[in-house]
Structures are given as C-alpha cells and as structure tokens.
C-alpha cells in the first residue's frame, strides 16, 4: 500500500542515498522518513505480546487516556496511519499495530492469518499493554478485523470505525472484484509492470512519492509474493459478516472513498444501516485509503464521532 515521505527527510537523505544500490536507496529514504515522521508526531516504536507472535507497533499519547488502536489492511503496515494518527496523540493513547506477516512483524508459515486469528493477536496485545477496552479503527482487511472483534468481543470494543472495510458482500463488485472473478489477483505479481498496474488502484489521491521509493516498494511486494498469497488465502477463507451485522451493538462509524477500486463502495450500504448503531461518511473524491489520501479531513470525522459517543466505561 501507499508509502509516504516528508520532503524534509527526502532532501536531507538524497545525497547519501544516491550512492546506494537502486532501488535499495528508495528503502533507505523511506525508512528514515518514517522514523522522522513518527518522532515528529509523538510516536515511538515498541514491540508487544501478540500471543503467538511479537507484534511491532507505534505507540504514543498519554497512557491514562482512552486507547485508540489502528489496524491496517492486507499487504499494508502501520506506516499508513502516521499522518492520520498525529491528530489523536494529544488526547488519546494511540497504538498502531503491524499485524502478523506485515511490516516489521514477522511472517510465520505455521500461523493462521484469518480475521479471527489476527483479531485474537490484537486482543492479546491490548492485554499485554493493560488496555481493557479501546476504540478500534481499521482499513480494508483491518476494518473486517475490527468488525469481527466488535461482534465477537464487544466488551473489548468501545467503538468501531470501519474505513473501506472488507467483510461483507457488496451489491456490486469492485474493479478488483471483477478481476478476481477472472482469476487475476492484482495484489500478486512477479514484475514491476504488475506493481504499476496495481498501485493506482490503491488510492484516488495518492500523496507524492519519489520513483526510487516506488521501485523499492515494488521489489518488496515481488519478494513477498508467496507469503502474501498465503495470507490472502487465509483471510479470504474467513466467513463474511453479512448475516451477523444486526448482532453488532458497538457504536460504529463507516467511512468510504467513493472512488475505491479494491472494495466496492456499494458495501457501505450493507454495513450501515445493517449495524443498528451506525453512522456513515462518504468521500466522493477519495479512494480506498482516506486516512492517507486526506488524513486531516478523515481524522476530523473520526474525532467528531468519538467526541459524540455516549459516556461509557473507559
């Protein structure tokens, strides 16, 4: 998914990076930029107990405040939340997780990667950090995990925010859905041409990223193709929530970019009002990842939702 950079970090590093091997230089720029941004936004890296694996995280904000846990989508990582999360660290305890097999959390072929298994790791992480309940925010696959937890473990979920969430059957297929029906998974490719086809599908308003870094991201996808295929198969074997939405009683916000090519925007009409206590926000100009495409606007909508929740047990 989308990798984001600060111009300041790029400027500072480009001289040194230019002597590195292409496209490895793109990885150097990217990692340094993420480290700089996370520091500027009051977040630090730490690992946490996920039960059957150690999970890498960003953490920040006052530990005494209500917790907000952010969960990325398939093939993405915790970095996709950085510019969104900066709007929460003053008032909330923020935890951003790399799910098993993603980002800096290792891939183990012996593990399961379905929504329930990944959700159990999130709960184990919360336990290890002393968090009894949290506001959960998830994008795509992460949204499905959040909804699964809201259904199965409502006592752990103060609220659920589902951003372009997988997990229900849309009335109309997405661009990706039509490709999958023909046996073509756009996430799985063997060359940079495949990445160049896939990447524009992820966002309608992608922030600028230098070509050297995009080349590096492409090499990462290609190198991880086998493990991504395993995770995809496990995740897509998870039973959908179509028939269980009325059983979700957690306050829920459904957010969608109308230009989403990966998960059909028509799914929003299934989530909400399928979930009884549900609110809905649509962004006509955005795609699959509003928290990257317009972090300020999407964060403001989530903060407004959280601020208007009825009083409850922290």
């Amino acid at each position: 998914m989308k990798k984001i950079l600060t111009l300041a970090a790029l400027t500072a590093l480009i001289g040194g990076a230019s002597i590195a091997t292409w496209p490895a230089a793109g990885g150097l720029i990217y990692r340094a930029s993420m480290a700089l941004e996370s520091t500027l936004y009051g977040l630090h890296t730490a690992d946490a107990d996920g039960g059957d694996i150690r999970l890498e995280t960003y953490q920040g904000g006052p530990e005494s405040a209500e917790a907000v846990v952010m969960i990325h989508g398939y093939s993405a990582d915790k970095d996709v939340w950085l510019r969104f999360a900066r709007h929460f660290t003053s008032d909330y305890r923020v935890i951003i997780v790399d799910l098993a097999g993603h980002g800096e959390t290792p891939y183990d072929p012996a593990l399961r990667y379905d929504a329930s298994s990944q959700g159990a790791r999130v709960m184990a992480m919360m336990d290890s950090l002393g968090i009894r309940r949290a506001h959960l925010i998830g994008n795509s696959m992460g949204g499905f995990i959040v909804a699964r937890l809201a259904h199965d473990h409502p006592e752990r979920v103060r609220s659920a925010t589902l951003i372009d969430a997988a997990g229900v059957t849309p009335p109309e297929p997405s661009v990706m859905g039509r490709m999958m029906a023909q046996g073509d998974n756009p996430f799985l490719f063997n060359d940079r041409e495949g990445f160049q086809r896939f990447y524009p599908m992820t966002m309608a308003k992608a922030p600028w990223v230098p070509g050297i870094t995009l080349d590096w991201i492409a090499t990462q996808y290609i190198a991880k193709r086998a493990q991504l295929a395993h995770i995809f198969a496990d995740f897509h074997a998870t039973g959908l929530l179509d028939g269980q939405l009325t059983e979700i009683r957690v306050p829920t916000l459904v957010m969608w970019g109308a230009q989403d090519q990966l998960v059909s925007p028509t799914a929003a009409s299934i989530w909400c009002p399928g979930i009884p206590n549900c609110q809905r926000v649509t962004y006509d100009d955005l795609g699959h990842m509003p928290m990257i495409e317009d972090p300020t606007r999407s964060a403001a909508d989530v903060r407004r939702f959280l601020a208007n929740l009825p009083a409850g047990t922290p």
Side-chain angles (χ1 to χ4, degrees):
M1 292 297 182
K2 185 61 179 175
K3 310 301 181 177
I4 52 180
L5 297 171
T6 61
L7 183 58
L10 176 62
T11 303
L13 288 167
I14 194 66
S18 63
I19 63 174
T21 303
W22 185 294
L28 294 175
I29 296 171
Y30 170 72
R31 292 189 182 100
S33 182
M34 294 300 99
L36 174 61
E37 289 204 28
S38 61
T39 299
L40 289 173
Y41 304 156
L43 294 159
H44 64 275
T45 57
D47 65 350
D49 183 7
D52 56 4
I53 196 169
R54 301 293 296 183
L55 300 174
E56 296 300 322
T57 68
Y58 286 126
Q59 300 183 26
E63 292 195 8
S64 60
E66 283 192 294
V68 173
V69 176
M70 301 178 185
I71 306 174
H72 61 76
Y74 167 69
S75 85
D77 57 43
K78 63 185 183 297
D79 294 333
V80 300
W81 295 104
L82 277 178
R83 294 183 181 179
F84 177 91
R86 68 184 297 186
H87 299 283
F88 293 84
T89 50
S90 61
D91 304 305
Y92 295 94
R93 182 181 183 185
V94 174
I95 314 295
I96 312 174
V97 62
D98 270 342
L99 295 170
H102 294 77
E104 295 181 303
T105 298
Y107 164 75
D108 182 343
L111 296 182
R112 291 190 56 80
Y113 295 92
D114 57 277
S116 294
S117 297
Q118 295 282 36
R121 296 177 187 116
V122 171
M123 286 196 301
M125 176 193 71
M126 290 169 56
D127 289 340
S128 73
L129 297 174
I131 299 171
R132 192 175 76 83
R133 295 182 80 198
H135 302 283
L136 302 186
I137 304 174
N139 171 239
S140 194
M141 178 183 75
F144 189 3
I145 293 168
V146 167
R148 186 81 263 171
L149 288 173
H151 178 275
D152 295 348
H153 304 281
E155 73 283 358
R156 307 301 304 272
V157 184
R158 177 77 173 88
S159 72
T161 297
L162 314 180
I163 304 177
D164 294 65
V168 297
T169 305
E172 300 175 12
S174 65
V175 173
M176 175 179 167
R178 292 193 293 270
M179 293 174 65
M180 292 289 296
Q182 298 176 359
D184 181 9
N185 185 339
F187 281 91
L188 304 179
F189 44 84
N190 296 308
D191 51 39
R192 291 184 187 176
E193 287 71 23
F195 178 78
Q196 290 165 0
R197 179 188 62 166
F198 159 73
Y199 184 69
M201 298 175 65
T202 64
M203 285 170 285
K205 286 191 173 181
W208 177 78
V209 176
I212 189 174
T213 297
L214 290 176
D215 282 347
W216 174 76
I217 296 169
T219 65
Q220 300 304 298
Y221 269 86
I222 294 166
K224 296 177 180 179
R225 189 185 190 283
Q227 71 187 55
L228 287 173
H230 174 197
I231 294 169
F232 188 91
D234 264 17
F235 173 63
H236 282 265
T238 305
L240 299 180
L241 284 163
D242 298 72
Q244 299 173 289
L245 296 183
T246 58
E247 300 166 8
I248 297 176
R249 300 295 175 172
V250 170
T252 300
L253 174 64
V254 172
M255 304 171 69
W256 224 284
Q259 304 302 314
D260 192 342
Q261 297 187 49
L262 298 181
V263 181
S264 174
T266 63
S269 65
I270 303 300
W271 285 111
C272 189
I275 297 172
N277 191 7
C278 181
Q279 300 176 39
R280 180 173 165 185
V281 175
T282 300
Y283 303 107
D284 291 338
D285 57 330
L286 303 182
H288 186 63
M289 292 190 285
M291 72 286 188
I292 293 179
E293 298 173 61
D294 197 334
T296 299
R297 183 171 28 148
S298 56
D301 286 332
V302 176
R303 284 185 59 93
R304 189 177 304 110
F305 166 70
L306 297 183
N308 290 325
L309 289 174
T313 305

